[in-house]
PDB file of all heavy atoms in Angstrom:
ATOM      1  N   VAL A  50      93.815  57.039 125.487  1.00 98.00           N
ATOM      2  CA  VAL A  50      92.728  57.015 126.500  1.00 98.00           C
ATOM      3  C   VAL A  50      93.195  58.106 127.485  1.00 98.00           C
ATOM      4  O   VAL A  50      94.081  57.872 128.314  1.00 98.00           O
ATOM      5  CB  VAL A  50      92.451  55.677 127.127  1.00 98.00           C
ATOM      6  CG1 VAL A  50      91.346  55.835 128.239  1.00 98.00           C
ATOM      7  CG2 VAL A  50      92.091  54.688 126.070  1.00 98.00           C
ATOM      8  N   ASP A  51      92.573  59.204 127.440  1.00 98.00           N
ATOM      9  CA  ASP A  51      92.793  60.419 128.317  1.00 98.00           C
ATOM     10  C   ASP A  51      94.111  61.038 127.978  1.00 98.00           C
ATOM     11  O   ASP A  51      95.047  60.410 127.493  1.00 98.00           O
ATOM     12  CB  ASP A  51      92.759  60.014 129.770  1.00 98.00           C
ATOM     13  CG  ASP A  51      91.379  59.787 130.274  1.00 98.00           C
ATOM     14  OD1 ASP A  51      90.442  60.244 129.768  1.00 98.00           O
ATOM     15  OD2 ASP A  51      91.189  59.119 131.320  1.00 98.00           O
ATOM     16  N   LEU A  80      90.315  59.102 123.367  1.00 98.00           N
ATOM     17  CA  LEU A  80      89.072  58.788 123.993  1.00 98.00           C
ATOM     18  C   LEU A  80      89.098  59.378 125.468  1.00 98.00           C
ATOM     19  O   LEU A  80      90.085  58.979 126.194  1.00 98.00           O
ATOM     20  CB  LEU A  80      89.007  57.232 124.081  1.00 98.00           C
ATOM     21  CG  LEU A  80      89.075  56.504 122.725  1.00 98.00           C
ATOM     22  CD1 LEU A  80      89.152  54.971 122.984  1.00 98.00           C
ATOM     23  CD2 LEU A  80      88.046  56.866 121.704  1.00 98.00           C
ATOM     24  N   LEU A  81      88.211  60.193 125.782  1.00 98.00           N
ATOM     25  CA  LEU A  81      88.193  60.879 126.979  1.00 98.00           C
ATOM     26  C   LEU A  81      87.248  60.198 127.976  1.00 98.00           C
ATOM     27  O   LEU A  81      86.017  60.240 127.736  1.00 98.00           O
ATOM     28  CB  LEU A  81      87.840  62.336 126.788  1.00 98.00           C
ATOM     29  CG  LEU A  81      88.100  63.407 127.963  1.00 98.00           C
ATOM     30  CD1 LEU A  81      89.551  63.491 128.240  1.00 98.00           C
ATOM     31  CD2 LEU A  81      87.473  64.746 127.533  1.00 98.00           C
ATOM     32  N   THR A  82      87.735  59.751 129.122  1.00 98.00           N
ATOM     33  CA  THR A  82      86.783  59.116 130.088  1.00 98.00           C
ATOM     34  C   THR A  82      85.989  60.184 130.764  1.00 98.00           C
ATOM     35  O   THR A  82      84.844  59.966 131.079  1.00 98.00           O
ATOM     36  CB  THR A  82      87.598  58.345 131.204  1.00 98.00           C
ATOM     37  OG1 THR A  82      88.477  59.147 131.937  1.00 98.00           O
ATOM     38  CG2 THR A  82      88.402  57.176 130.560  1.00 98.00           C
ATOM     39  N   VAL A 175      84.544  50.761 120.125  1.00 98.00           N
ATOM     40  CA  VAL A 175      84.706  51.421 121.452  1.00 98.00           C
ATOM     41  C   VAL A 175      83.274  51.641 122.082  1.00 98.00           C
ATOM     42  O   VAL A 175      82.313  51.885 121.322  1.00 98.00           O
ATOM     43  CB  VAL A 175      85.372  52.844 121.241  1.00 98.00           C
ATOM     44  CG1 VAL A 175      85.398  53.542 122.440  1.00 98.00           C
ATOM     45  CG2 VAL A 175      86.682  52.689 120.559  1.00 98.00           C
ATOM     46  N   GLU A 176      83.185  51.333 123.374  1.00 98.00           N
ATOM     47  CA  GLU A 176      81.977  51.491 124.108  1.00 98.00           C
ATOM     48  C   GLU A 176      82.192  52.383 125.327  1.00 98.00           C
ATOM     49  O   GLU A 176      83.024  52.063 126.146  1.00 98.00           O
ATOM     50  CB  GLU A 176      81.402  50.138 124.544  1.00 98.00           C
ATOM     51  CG  GLU A 176      80.029  50.287 125.284  1.00 98.00           C
ATOM     52  CD  GLU A 176      79.553  48.904 125.597  1.00 98.00           C
ATOM     53  OE1 GLU A 176      80.214  47.882 125.431  1.00 98.00           O
ATOM     54  OE2 GLU A 176      78.368  48.856 126.125  1.00 98.00           O
ATOM     55  N   PHE A 177      81.454  53.458 125.482  1.00 98.00           N
ATOM     56  CA  PHE A 177      81.423  54.293 126.614  1.00 98.00           C
ATOM     57  C   PHE A 177      80.244  53.888 127.643  1.00 98.00           C
ATOM     58  O   PHE A 177      79.106  53.833 127.035  1.00 98.00           O
ATOM     59  CB  PHE A 177      81.224  55.789 126.269  1.00 98.00           C
ATOM     60  CG  PHE A 177      82.363  56.435 125.646  1.00 98.00           C
ATOM     61  CD1 PHE A 177      82.813  56.074 124.277  1.00 98.00           C
ATOM     62  CD2 PHE A 177      83.168  57.414 126.283  1.00 98.00           C
ATOM     63  CE1 PHE A 177      83.823  56.649 123.677  1.00 98.00           C
ATOM     64  CE2 PHE A 177      84.169  57.966 125.594  1.00 98.00           C
ATOM     65  CZ  PHE A 177      84.574  57.617 124.356  1.00 98.00           C
ATOM     66  N   SER A 178      80.467  53.687 128.902  1.00 98.00           N
ATOM     67  CA  SER A 178      79.401  53.228 129.820  1.00 98.00           C
ATOM     68  C   SER A 178      79.521  54.204 131.056  1.00 98.00           C
ATOM     69  O   SER A 178      80.683  54.576 131.431  1.00 98.00           O
ATOM     70  CB  SER A 178      79.423  51.806 130.206  1.00 98.00           C
ATOM     71  OG  SER A 178      80.802  51.442 130.639  1.00 98.00           O
ATOM     72  N   SER A 187      82.835  58.290 132.154  1.00 98.00           N
ATOM     73  CA  SER A 187      82.551  57.018 131.562  1.00 98.00           C
ATOM     74  C   SER A 187      83.722  56.043 131.810  1.00 98.00           C
ATOM     75  O   SER A 187      84.925  56.478 131.944  1.00 98.00           O
ATOM     76  CB  SER A 187      82.437  57.116 129.999  1.00 98.00           C
ATOM     77  OG  SER A 187      81.304  57.899 129.706  1.00 98.00           O
ATOM     78  N   SER A 188      83.370  54.742 131.822  1.00 98.00           N
ATOM     79  CA  SER A 188      84.367  53.693 131.570  1.00 98.00           C
ATOM     80  C   SER A 188      84.372  53.438 130.051  1.00 98.00           C
ATOM     81  O   SER A 188      83.443  53.595 129.367  1.00 98.00           O
ATOM     82  CB  SER A 188      84.021  52.372 132.302  1.00 98.00           C
ATOM     83  OG  SER A 188      83.941  52.658 133.706  1.00 98.00           O
ATOM     84  N   ILE A 189      85.556  53.090 129.544  1.00 98.00           N
ATOM     85  CA  ILE A 189      85.715  52.946 128.149  1.00 98.00           C
ATOM     86  C   ILE A 189      86.300  51.538 127.798  1.00 98.00           C
ATOM     87  O   ILE A 189      87.347  51.152 128.285  1.00 98.00           O
ATOM     88  CB  ILE A 189      86.666  53.957 127.487  1.00 98.00           C
ATOM     89  CG1 ILE A 189      86.025  55.388 127.679  1.00 98.00           C
ATOM     90  CG2 ILE A 189      86.877  53.720 126.074  1.00 98.00           C
ATOM     91  CD1 ILE A 189      86.860  56.523 127.190  1.00 98.00           C
ATOM     92  N   ARG A 190      85.537  50.759 127.031  1.00 98.00           N
ATOM     93  CA  ARG A 190      85.921  49.449 126.509  1.00 98.00           C
ATOM     94  C   ARG A 190      86.365  49.544 125.120  1.00 98.00           C
ATOM     95  O   ARG A 190      85.609  50.037 124.291  1.00 98.00           O
ATOM     96  CB  ARG A 190      84.778  48.438 126.663  1.00 98.00           C
ATOM     97  CG  ARG A 190      85.075  47.003 126.272  1.00 98.00           C
ATOM     98  CD  ARG A 190      83.800  46.181 126.518  1.00 98.00           C
ATOM     99  NE  ARG A 190      84.033  44.762 126.143  1.00 98.00           N
ATOM    100  CZ  ARG A 190      83.887  44.276 124.940  1.00 98.00           C
ATOM    101  NH1 ARG A 190      83.576  45.029 123.908  1.00 98.00           N
ATOM    102  NH2 ARG A 190      84.033  42.891 124.701  1.00 98.00           N
ATOM    103  N   VAL A 191      87.572  48.916 124.822  1.00 98.00           N
ATOM    104  CA  VAL A 191      88.129  49.055 123.427  1.00 98.00           C
ATOM    105  C   VAL A 191      88.320  47.535 123.050  1.00 98.00           C
ATOM    106  O   VAL A 191      88.920  46.746 123.701  1.00 98.00           O
ATOM    107  CB  VAL A 191      89.434  49.765 123.410  1.00 98.00           C
ATOM    108  CG1 VAL A 191      89.938  49.855 122.033  1.00 98.00           C
ATOM    109  CG2 VAL A 191      89.345  51.195 123.995  1.00 98.00           C
ATOM    110  N   VAL A 198      89.858  45.407 126.096  1.00 98.00           N
ATOM    111  CA  VAL A 198      90.446  45.932 127.236  1.00 98.00           C
ATOM    112  C   VAL A 198      89.494  47.122 127.828  1.00 98.00           C
ATOM    113  O   VAL A 198      89.030  47.887 127.051  1.00 98.00           O
ATOM    114  CB  VAL A 198      91.861  46.559 127.066  1.00 98.00           C
ATOM    115  CG1 VAL A 198      91.944  47.563 126.022  1.00 98.00           C
ATOM    116  CG2 VAL A 198      92.415  47.162 128.297  1.00 98.00           C
ATOM    117  N   LEU A 199      89.275  47.057 129.052  1.00 98.00           N
ATOM    118  CA  LEU A 199      88.296  48.006 129.735  1.00 98.00           C
ATOM    119  C   LEU A 199      89.063  48.981 130.636  1.00 98.00           C
ATOM    120  O   LEU A 199      89.636  48.513 131.498  1.00 98.00           O
ATOM    121  CB  LEU A 199      87.222  47.204 130.519  1.00 98.00           C
ATOM    122  CG  LEU A 199      86.304  48.045 131.355  1.00 98.00           C
ATOM    123  CD1 LEU A 199      85.369  48.962 130.404  1.00 98.00           C
ATOM    124  CD2 LEU A 199      85.391  47.127 132.173  1.00 98.00           C
ATOM    125  N   PHE A 200      88.827  50.318 130.415  1.00 98.00           N
ATOM    126  CA  PHE A 200      89.491  51.255 131.273  1.00 98.00           C
ATOM    127  C   PHE A 200      88.313  51.739 132.207  1.00 98.00           C
ATOM    128  O   PHE A 200      87.339  52.320 131.690  1.00 98.00           O
ATOM    129  CB  PHE A 200      90.027  52.450 130.347  1.00 98.00           C
ATOM    130  CG  PHE A 200      91.241  51.953 129.515  1.00 98.00           C
ATOM    131  CD1 PHE A 200      91.032  51.404 128.302  1.00 98.00           C
ATOM    132  CD2 PHE A 200      92.492  52.240 130.036  1.00 98.00           C
ATOM    133  CE1 PHE A 200      92.072  51.096 127.538  1.00 98.00           C
ATOM    134  CE2 PHE A 200      93.607  51.839 129.236  1.00 98.00           C
ATOM    135  CZ  PHE A 200      93.427  51.230 128.032  1.00 98.00           C
ATOM    136  N   SER A 201      88.493  51.676 133.500  1.00 98.00           N
ATOM    137  CA  SER A 201      87.479  52.099 134.407  1.00 98.00           C
ATOM    138  C   SER A 201      87.250  53.617 134.381  1.00 98.00           C
ATOM    139  O   SER A 201      86.122  54.125 134.666  1.00 98.00           O
ATOM    140  CB  SER A 201      87.811  51.604 135.821  1.00 98.00           C
ATOM    141  OG  SER A 201      88.930  52.559 136.376  1.00 98.00           O
ATOM    142  N   GLY A 202      88.252  54.397 133.991  1.00 98.00           N
ATOM    143  CA  GLY A 202      88.208  55.793 134.306  1.00 98.00           C
ATOM    144  C   GLY A 202      88.096  55.967 135.795  1.00 98.00           C
ATOM    145  O   GLY A 202      88.432  55.019 136.624  1.00 98.00           O
TER     146      GLY A 202
END
Side-chain angles (χ1 to χ4, degrees):
V50 179
D51 287 339
L80 309 174
L81 193 63
T82 63
V175 179
E176 180 181 8
F177 289 70
S178 54
S187 298
S188 300
I189 295 178
R190 181 181 182 271
V191 182
V198 57
L199 173 65
F200 294 84
S201 72

